[in-house]
Amino acid sequence: MNILPYKLAQTNDQLTSRAGLLAIAQLMSSLNLSERIDNAFPLPKSNRGFKPSAFIQTFILMQHEGSFHLDDVRHIRDDKALRTLLNLKNMPAASALGNWLRRIGAQSNTVTAWQAVNKVLLKSSLHNRKAITLDIDASEVVANKSDAQWTYKKNKGYMPMVGHMAETGQVVACDFRPGNASPSRENLEFIQQCAQSLPDGCYVQALRIDAAGYQAKIIEYCDEKEIEYAIRAKTSKAIKDYINERSDEDWQPMLNRQGESMDGYDTCRTVHVISEYEKPFTLIIQRKRLNGQALLDLEESDTGEGIQSGGYLYRSIATNKENWEDSDIIHWYNQRGEHSENRIKELKLDFGGDTLPCSDFDANALYFMISALSYNLFALMRQLLPESLAHHRAVTIRWRLYAMAAKVVKTGRQLYVKLQAAHQTQLQQVLDALRRFEPPPI
């Protein structure tokens, strides 16, 4: 048997494998996030209790590290070197974190407090931009909790609605809903909630939403507020009849982003109205040629958002962008897959949005909102990172930046973080960029 030539020994040096978390701690410090959180969330009634910032910043550190369960707080609590580095003298335990989620989640002003903190992150990312594009979508969170309900996908869980700002990819608002809630429920109210959640002076200029938003009151609201929209239209008898009456000469080739014809894709447009609202809008109809057995088309297939007929799949988009070309509208609508659906995946997979820690609905709703704060903070940090790191997801940033081994040395009043030369150079670049960042005033 070959034995590797080593001996185990002990050291009293303060060592950490998470020195790179100094970056996110520096950004929170630059934003004065502790003060902002304590100004927005209810303070403890006892002087001995933890302030709200202690709980929320603990969650943020955990989620950036990749820990999504309450018991995982011990990874940071047991890391004496990291706590010395970040000046975390006292940290709440797992039981305290759960109790705080349940207590604060049950209060009526939780969403308002979250909005106040989140507006700072949005304003910091938008800089001086005022008009934004809003993408909203519902997302299933599968969870085996006592109050979980069956979703339309036949899983037990929840169905939160999330609104994203396309310009920065950040979460504008989220509405944590039971699993049996319809994706089309109260969507106008949620759009209005997103508008109210924007920083002062910002407004929704454009809206993109799937067929859950194909409602007369949403289209009417967009017309009243002069919001440009692209909404996936549900197939109706009038749309089916219009498609059946079209000849091949009525269809135009669809163009890709380079202006070249796409084989098997065609478009046409018409003017359409939706029930209960008489003002007409533009309807862009896209057809895609189906291959294989679909060409037999023995029976028309209707999926609600589209129909299969005559060897083609037909889908429609309702819009008020009358001056845009058909292909440009379709490409613009399809961008919501990047700006909303993929961002929701990051929120759930990279920041624990799909790992709910409690059996209490309101507590889980608060945890989901804190996950959104963590994600928004990460999206802001990506704007400030060096080019070599700026386009990566959190899973990459964790091993390239956060997971740096270091020795923490305290001499007199000075604290030193000793790293390998390459790591020291990279972390110094990141910290210099974060220190130059100037947040909006409190």
Side-chain angles (χ1 to χ4, degrees), residues 333-349:
Y333 173 82
N334 289 340
Q335 284 178 356
R336 66 180 292 275
E338 167 64 19
H339 296 303
S340 181
E341 295 174 3
N342 286 344
R343 301 288 80 78
I344 289 176
K345 290 179 183 177
E346 285 192 60
L347 169 62
K348 291 166 62 176
L349 299 179

Side-chain angles (χ1 to χ4, degrees), residues 235-236 239-241 243-244 286-288 290 297 300-316:
T235 304
S236 64
I239 295 177
K240 291 179 184 178
D241 292 342
I243 291 173
N244 291 333
Q286 174 191 2
R287 71 175 186 178
K288 172 186 175 182
L290 300 174
D297 195 34
E300 184 181 90
S301 174
D302 187 347
T303 63
E305 292 188 15
I307 59 172
Q308 293 181 17
S309 179
Y312 288 93
L313 171 65
Y314 297 88
R315 305 182 79 185
S316 307

Side-chain angles (χ1 to χ4, degrees), residues 23-24 26-27 30 381 384 430-437:
I24 197 64
Q26 175 60 56
L27 182 56
S30 297
M381 188 176 74
L384 306 172
V430 170
L431 293 176
D432 288 344
L434 296 178
R435 287 166 181 159
R436 289 194 298 268
F437 167 69

Side-chain angles (χ1 to χ4, degrees), residues 162-416:
V162 183
H164 276 89
M165 187 163 54
E167 287 72 18
T168 65
Q170 291 172 304
V171 177
V172 176
C174 45
D175 183 12
F176 198 75
R177 301 178 177 181
N180 58 358
S182 169
S184 60
R185 190 192 79 176
E186 298 180 353
N187 277 353
L188 175 59
E189 291 77 4
F190 182 67
I191 293 170
Q192 294 170 333
Q193 177 185 337
C194 290
Q196 295 169 358
S197 301
L198 290 171
D200 295 341
C202 294
Y203 62 93
V204 178
Q205 183 183 51
L207 171 69
R208 297 181 294 208
I209 185 174
D210 60 16
Y214 188 62
Q215 304 173 22
K217 57 184 180 181
I218 290 180
I219 294 177
E220 183 177 3
Y221 173 80
C222 290
D223 288 338
E224 290 176 356
K225 299 295 183 180
E226 298 182 349
I227 297 174
E228 298 177 333
Y229 62 83
I231 303 173
R232 176 67 70 192
K234 293 181 181 178
T235 304
S236 64
K237 183 179 183 303
I239 295 177
K240 291 179 184 178
D241 292 342
Y242 179 82
I243 291 173
N244 291 333
E245 292 169 0
R246 298 305 96 197
S247 63
D248 286 341
E249 290 74 20
D250 296 322
W251 295 90
Q252 303 296 324
M254 181 175 169
L255 306 179
N256 61 21
R257 296 183 186 277
Q258 289 72 42
E260 302 168 343
S261 296
M262 299 174 62
D263 185 39
Y265 290 86
D266 304 289
T267 67
C268 72
R269 74 165 57 195
T270 184
V271 175
H272 193 63
V273 294
I274 191 171
S275 60
E276 303 174 2
Y277 185 51
E278 297 180 354
K279 184 176 180 179
F281 53 83
T282 299
L283 191 72
I284 307 299
I285 304 175
Q286 174 191 2
R287 71 175 186 178
K288 172 186 175 182
R289 186 186 305 122
L290 300 174
N291 298 317
Q293 293 182 343
L295 289 173
L296 297 176
D297 195 34
L298 300 177
E299 191 174 302
E300 184 181 90
S301 174
D302 187 347
T303 63
E305 292 188 15
I307 59 172
Q308 293 181 17
S309 179
Y312 288 93
L313 171 65
Y314 297 88
R315 305 182 79 185
S316 307
I317 297 173
T319 184
N320 56 359
K321 284 179 167 289
E322 301 174 359
N323 298 327
W324 280 33
E325 298 294 332
D326 296 358
S327 300
D328 293 334
I329 292 173
I330 293 171
H331 292 313
W332 182 66
Y333 173 82
N334 289 340
Q335 284 178 356
R336 66 180 292 275
E338 167 64 19
H339 296 303
S340 181
E341 295 174 3
N342 286 344
R343 301 288 80 78
I344 289 176
K345 290 179 183 177
E346 285 192 60
L347 169 62
K348 291 166 62 176
L349 299 179
D350 296 355
F351 292 93
D354 64 347
T355 308
L356 303 176
C358 302
S359 295
D360 181 88
F361 181 88
D362 294 329
N364 287 331
L366 177 55
Y367 181 83
F368 189 86
M369 288 190 290
I370 294 174
S371 296
L373 275 183
S374 291
Y375 170 74
N376 284 353
L377 197 64
F378 178 75
L380 171 59
M381 188 176 74
R382 272 198 294 209
Q383 293 185 7
L384 306 172
L385 288 176
E387 185 66 22
S388 59
L389 297 173
H391 305 290
H392 293 293
R393 282 179 52 180
V395 289
T396 302
I397 296 299
R398 283 184 187 124
W399 65 265
R400 290 191 60 180
L401 178 61
Y402 293 161
M404 287 184 176
K407 181 168 74 169
V408 178
V409 180
K410 188 173 184 179
T411 59
R413 296 183 180 180
Q414 185 63 51
L415 198 63
Y416 293 93

Side-chain angles (χ1 to χ4, degrees), residues 18-70:
R18 305 173 180 86
L21 285 175
L22 185 60
I24 197 64
Q26 175 60 56
L27 182 56
M28 288 193 287
S29 178
S30 297
L31 286 164
N32 297 309
L33 200 62
S34 293
E35 185 176 352
R36 297 178 192 274
I37 291 171
D38 293 336
N39 287 340
F41 284 83
L43 295 171
K45 296 180 180 179
S46 169
N47 291 332
R48 293 177 296 175
F50 287 107
K51 291 183 177 181
S53 57
F55 292 103
I56 292 179
Q57 290 188 314
T58 296
F59 279 121
I60 289 174
L61 286 173
M62 290 171 57
Q63 290 162 350
H64 273 259
E65 185 207 23
S67 301
F68 308 137
H69 299 89
L70 298 184

